[in-house]
Amino acid sequence: MGHNTKGVFLDDIRIPSDLTYYISKEEIDQYLLTDWTVIRSYQDFVTYISENGIPSIISFDHDLGINLDNTEAESGYDAVKYIVNLIIEQEHRVLPQVLCHSQNPVGKTNILSYWNNFIKSIDKG
């Protein structure tokens, strides 16, 4: 499989080049070589996907800030669940590459575990 050059970067604050401060040299090239569409909120993510389809690569942040009513916003975990449900509903056969650049270690583990469990379920099915 070749290197994907288009992707969605879901993060409420950062841009991909910000990751050079905490992502390993082995991982950073993929972020620097990908043409990213930066999306700042869960709702904007859902809107983008509904208008453009599932991209070939998605990088998730877990914590996406707070809503206007001072409640915690939907997270990157909610976004990965949305993608999985959409793939199942649409019987989407081309799966995106999923990355997680979150600095929240529990959130990052949850996002990647959810995605990896989904992939395992497909392999068994």
Side-chain angles (χ1 to χ4, degrees), residues 11-34:
D11 196 301
D12 60 325
I13 299 171
R14 292 174 292 225
I15 59 173
S17 63
D18 292 341
L19 305 185
T20 59
Y21 297 107
Y22 67 92
I23 296 282
S24 71
K25 287 185 179 193
E26 294 78 28
E27 295 176 281
I28 198 61
D29 282 347
Q30 182 155 26
Y31 283 98
L32 298 177
L33 297 174
T34 300

mmCIF file of all heavy atoms in Angstrom, residues 11-34:
data_model
loop_
_atom_site.group_PDB
_atom_site.id
_atom_site.type_symbol
_atom_site.label_atom_id
_atom_site.label_comp_id
_atom_site.label_asym_id
_atom_site.label_seq_id
_atom_site.Cartn_x
_atom_site.Cartn_y
_atom_site.Cartn_z
ATOM 1 N N ASP A 11 -8.216 18.282 15.507
ATOM 2 C CA ASP A 11 -7.586 18.858 16.699
ATOM 3 C C ASP A 11 -8.149 20.259 16.916
ATOM 4 O O ASP A 11 -8.242 21.038 15.968
ATOM 5 C CB ASP A 11 -6.066 18.923 16.511
ATOM 6 C CG ASP A 11 -5.319 19.134 17.816
ATOM 7 O OD1 ASP A 11 -5.568 20.162 18.485
ATOM 8 O OD2 ASP A 11 -4.488 18.283 18.159
ATOM 9 N N ASP A 12 -8.495 20.580 18.142
ATOM 10 C CA ASP A 12 -9.099 21.885 18.420
ATOM 11 C C ASP A 12 -8.094 23.026 18.484
ATOM 12 O O ASP A 12 -8.493 24.189 18.392
ATOM 13 C CB ASP A 12 -9.927 21.845 19.712
ATOM 14 C CG ASP A 12 -9.114 21.477 20.937
ATOM 15 O OD1 ASP A 12 -8.177 20.659 20.816
ATOM 16 O OD2 ASP A 12 -9.421 21.976 22.033
ATOM 17 N N ILE A 13 -6.809 22.722 18.602
ATOM 18 C CA ILE A 13 -5.806 23.786 18.774
ATOM 19 C C ILE A 13 -4.628 23.668 17.805
ATOM 20 O O ILE A 13 -4.238 24.635 17.170
ATOM 21 C CB ILE A 13 -5.257 23.776 20.219
ATOM 22 C CG1 ILE A 13 -6.386 24.040 21.224
ATOM 23 C CG2 ILE A 13 -4.146 24.802 20.387
ATOM 24 C CD1 ILE A 13 -5.985 23.841 22.663
ATOM 25 N N ARG A 14 -4.053 22.482 17.734
ATOM 26 C CA ARG A 14 -2.796 22.295 17.008
ATOM 27 C C ARG A 14 -2.984 22.145 15.506
ATOM 28 O O ARG A 14 -4.068 21.886 15.014
ATOM 29 C CB ARG A 14 -2.074 21.048 17.535
ATOM 30 C CG ARG A 14 -1.567 21.214 18.943
ATOM 31 C CD ARG A 14 -1.010 19.904 19.425
ATOM 32 N NE ARG A 14 -2.112 18.963 19.581
ATOM 33 C CZ ARG A 14 -2.275 18.175 20.629
ATOM 34 N NH1 ARG A 14 -1.397 18.164 21.585
ATOM 35 N NH2 ARG A 14 -3.311 17.363 20.707
ATOM 36 N N ILE A 15 -1.850 22.312 14.806
ATOM 37 C CA ILE A 15 -1.724 21.990 13.388
ATOM 38 C C ILE A 15 -0.664 20.897 13.282
ATOM 39 O O ILE A 15 0.122 20.691 14.222
ATOM 40 C CB ILE A 15 -1.351 23.235 12.545
ATOM 41 C CG1 ILE A 15 -0.034 23.844 13.006
ATOM 42 C CG2 ILE A 15 -2.484 24.255 12.573
ATOM 43 C CD1 ILE A 15 0.489 24.969 12.127
ATOM 44 N N PRO A 16 -0.606 20.172 12.178
ATOM 45 C CA PRO A 16 0.327 19.041 12.083
ATOM 46 C C PRO A 16 1.784 19.372 12.398
ATOM 47 O O PRO A 16 2.465 18.576 13.051
ATOM 48 C CB PRO A 16 0.154 18.562 10.649
ATOM 49 C CG PRO A 16 -1.274 18.896 10.341
ATOM 50 C CD PRO A 16 -1.507 20.216 11.020
ATOM 51 N N SER A 17 2.279 20.530 11.987
ATOM 52 C CA SER A 17 3.687 20.844 12.255
ATOM 53 C C SER A 17 3.977 21.024 13.746
ATOM 54 O O SER A 17 5.126 20.893 14.175
ATOM 55 C CB SER A 17 4.123 22.079 11.469
ATOM 56 O OG SER A 17 3.378 23.210 11.881
ATOM 57 N N ASP A 18 2.950 21.274 14.556
ATOM 58 C CA ASP A 18 3.144 21.373 16.012
ATOM 59 C C ASP A 18 3.601 20.052 16.614
ATOM 60 O O ASP A 18 4.196 20.030 17.696
ATOM 61 C CB ASP A 18 1.845 21.795 16.714
ATOM 62 C CG ASP A 18 1.428 23.216 16.408
ATOM 63 O OD1 ASP A 18 2.280 24.008 15.950
ATOM 64 O OD2 ASP A 18 0.245 23.538 16.632
ATOM 65 N N LEU A 19 3.329 18.962 15.939
ATOM 66 C CA LEU A 19 3.641 17.644 16.485
ATOM 67 C C LEU A 19 5.140 17.369 16.537
ATOM 68 O O LEU A 19 5.570 16.457 17.229
ATOM 69 C CB LEU A 19 2.942 16.554 15.678
ATOM 70 C CG LEU A 19 1.428 16.681 15.531
ATOM 71 C CD1 LEU A 19 0.871 15.461 14.822
ATOM 72 C CD2 LEU A 19 0.738 16.911 16.844
ATOM 73 N N THR A 20 5.919 18.165 15.832
ATOM 74 C CA THR A 20 7.374 17.958 15.841
ATOM 75 C C THR A 20 7.940 18.087 17.251
ATOM 76 O O THR A 20 9.032 17.594 17.517
ATOM 77 C CB THR A 20 8.096 18.953 14.906
ATOM 78 O OG1 THR A 20 7.803 20.281 15.321
ATOM 79 C CG2 THR A 20 7.685 18.737 13.459
ATOM 80 N N TYR A 21 7.202 18.713 18.154
ATOM 81 C CA TYR A 21 7.682 18.895 19.531
ATOM 82 C C TYR A 21 7.516 17.662 20.394
ATOM 83 O O TYR A 21 8.144 17.559 21.440
ATOM 84 C CB TYR A 21 6.959 20.085 20.184
ATOM 85 C CG TYR A 21 7.240 21.379 19.484
ATOM 86 C CD1 TYR A 21 6.263 21.984 18.696
ATOM 87 C CD2 TYR A 21 8.486 21.990 19.565
ATOM 88 C CE1 TYR A 21 6.529 23.179 18.028
ATOM 89 C CE2 TYR A 21 8.759 23.167 18.905
ATOM 90 C CZ TYR A 21 7.776 23.756 18.141
ATOM 91 O OH TYR A 21 8.034 24.925 17.470
ATOM 92 N N TYR A 22 6.669 16.710 19.982
ATOM 93 C CA TYR A 22 6.477 15.541 20.848
ATOM 94 C C TYR A 22 6.284 14.207 20.127
ATOM 95 O O TYR A 22 6.195 13.178 20.769
ATOM 96 C CB TYR A 22 5.309 15.773 21.823
ATOM 97 C CG TYR A 22 3.945 15.862 21.207
ATOM 98 C CD1 TYR A 22 3.149 14.736 21.073
ATOM 99 C CD2 TYR A 22 3.432 17.088 20.775
ATOM 100 C CE1 TYR A 22 1.879 14.821 20.519
ATOM 101 C CE2 TYR A 22 2.166 17.169 20.223
ATOM 102 C CZ TYR A 22 1.396 16.039 20.102
ATOM 103 O OH TYR A 22 0.144 16.135 19.562
ATOM 104 N N ILE A 23 6.247 14.200 18.816
ATOM 105 C CA ILE A 23 6.131 12.942 18.061
ATOM 106 C C ILE A 23 7.541 12.494 17.660
ATOM 107 O O ILE A 23 8.378 13.311 17.292
ATOM 108 C CB ILE A 23 5.256 13.140 16.802
ATOM 109 C CG1 ILE A 23 3.829 13.496 17.194
ATOM 110 C CG2 ILE A 23 5.288 11.928 15.895
ATOM 111 C CD1 ILE A 23 2.977 12.345 17.640
ATOM 112 N N SER A 24 7.777 11.195 17.696
ATOM 113 C CA SER A 24 9.105 10.676 17.374
ATOM 114 C C SER A 24 9.477 10.962 15.919
ATOM 115 O O SER A 24 8.614 11.157 15.069
ATOM 116 C CB SER A 24 9.145 9.158 17.620
ATOM 117 O OG SER A 24 8.387 8.490 16.639
ATOM 118 N N LYS A 25 10.767 10.956 15.654
ATOM 119 C CA LYS A 25 11.255 11.198 14.293
ATOM 120 C C LYS A 25 10.717 10.146 13.321
ATOM 121 O O LYS A 25 10.492 10.434 12.159
ATOM 122 C CB LYS A 25 12.786 11.201 14.266
ATOM 123 C CG LYS A 25 13.380 12.433 14.875
ATOM 124 C CD LYS A 25 14.887 12.459 14.719
ATOM 125 C CE LYS A 25 15.420 13.740 15.323
ATOM 126 N NZ LYS A 25 16.794 13.985 14.967
ATOM 127 N N GLU A 26 10.516 8.924 13.802
ATOM 128 C CA GLU A 26 10.003 7.856 12.954
ATOM 129 C C GLU A 26 8.563 8.138 12.515
ATOM 130 O O GLU A 26 8.161 7.782 11.420
ATOM 131 C CB GLU A 26 10.052 6.501 13.680
ATOM 132 C CG GLU A 26 11.452 5.991 13.970
ATOM 133 C CD GLU A 26 12.103 6.673 15.170
ATOM 134 O OE1 GLU A 26 11.388 7.131 16.091
ATOM 135 O OE2 GLU A 26 13.340 6.764 15.175
ATOM 136 N N GLU A 27 7.797 8.793 13.373
ATOM 137 C CA GLU A 27 6.385 9.055 13.074
ATOM 138 C C GLU A 27 6.139 10.398 12.397
ATOM 139 O O GLU A 27 5.156 10.555 11.679
ATOM 140 C CB GLU A 27 5.557 9.036 14.363
ATOM 141 C CG GLU A 27 5.501 7.698 15.054
ATOM 142 C CD GLU A 27 4.751 7.806 16.360
ATOM 143 O OE1 GLU A 27 5.338 8.282 17.346
ATOM 144 O OE2 GLU A 27 3.563 7.427 16.381
ATOM 145 N N ILE A 28 7.002 11.363 12.614
ATOM 146 C CA ILE A 28 6.712 12.737 12.196
ATOM 147 C C ILE A 28 6.684 12.900 10.673
ATOM 148 O O ILE A 28 5.923 13.718 10.159
ATOM 149 C CB ILE A 28 7.680 13.755 12.840
ATOM 150 C CG1 ILE A 28 7.102 15.174 12.749
ATOM 151 C CG2 ILE A 28 9.066 13.682 12.232
ATOM 152 C CD1 ILE A 28 5.799 15.384 13.452
ATOM 153 N N ASP A 29 7.469 12.130 9.948
ATOM 154 C CA ASP A 29 7.495 12.285 8.491
ATOM 155 C C ASP A 29 6.109 12.129 7.878
ATOM 156 O O ASP A 29 5.742 12.870 6.978
ATOM 157 C CB ASP A 29 8.462 11.283 7.853
ATOM 158 C CG ASP A 29 9.908 11.716 7.992
ATOM 159 O OD1 ASP A 29 10.155 12.881 8.358
ATOM 160 O OD2 ASP A 29 10.792 10.878 7.729
ATOM 161 N N GLN A 30 5.353 11.173 8.381
ATOM 162 C CA GLN A 30 4.014 10.975 7.830
ATOM 163 C C GLN A 30 3.161 12.228 8.028
ATOM 164 O O GLN A 30 2.394 12.604 7.154
ATOM 165 C CB GLN A 30 3.343 9.787 8.492
ATOM 166 C CG GLN A 30 1.979 9.524 7.902
ATOM 167 C CD GLN A 30 1.552 8.106 8.057
ATOM 168 O OE1 GLN A 30 1.991 7.425 8.967
ATOM 169 N NE2 GLN A 30 0.692 7.651 7.193
ATOM 170 N N TYR A 31 3.318 12.883 9.159
ATOM 171 C CA TYR A 31 2.552 14.110 9.409
ATOM 172 C C TYR A 31 3.019 15.253 8.521
ATOM 173 O O TYR A 31 2.221 16.053 8.053
ATOM 174 C CB TYR A 31 2.636 14.498 10.887
ATOM 175 C CG TYR A 31 1.752 13.645 11.753
ATOM 176 C CD1 TYR A 31 2.254 12.556 12.445
ATOM 177 C CD2 TYR A 31 0.393 13.921 11.856
ATOM 178 C CE1 TYR A 31 1.432 11.766 13.228
ATOM 179 C CE2 TYR A 31 -0.441 13.142 12.638
ATOM 180 C CZ TYR A 31 0.093 12.068 13.326
ATOM 181 O OH TYR A 31 -0.740 11.287 14.090
ATOM 182 N N LEU A 32 4.314 15.326 8.281
ATOM 183 C CA LEU A 32 4.849 16.428 7.497
ATOM 184 C C LEU A 32 4.658 16.223 5.994
ATOM 185 O O LEU A 32 4.632 17.198 5.245
ATOM 186 C CB LEU A 32 6.327 16.640 7.831
ATOM 187 C CG LEU A 32 6.609 17.023 9.295
ATOM 188 C CD1 LEU A 32 8.110 17.146 9.527
ATOM 189 C CD2 LEU A 32 5.886 18.290 9.694
ATOM 190 N N LEU A 33 4.520 14.986 5.550
ATOM 191 C CA LEU A 33 4.378 14.685 4.124
ATOM 192 C C LEU A 33 2.929 14.554 3.659
ATOM 193 O O LEU A 33 2.679 14.403 2.471
ATOM 194 C CB LEU A 33 5.132 13.392 3.782
ATOM 195 C CG LEU A 33 6.640 13.438 3.985
ATOM 196 C CD1 LEU A 33 7.253 12.063 3.761
ATOM 197 C CD2 LEU A 33 7.273 14.481 3.081
ATOM 198 N N THR A 34 1.993 14.604 4.599
ATOM 199 C CA THR A 34 0.577 14.454 4.257
ATOM 200 C C THR A 34 -0.051 15.821 4.057
ATOM 201 O O THR A 34 0.262 16.775 4.760
ATOM 202 C CB THR A 34 -0.148 13.676 5.371
ATOM 203 O OG1 THR A 34 0.454 12.387 5.485
ATOM 204 C CG2 THR A 34 -1.623 13.519 5.083
#
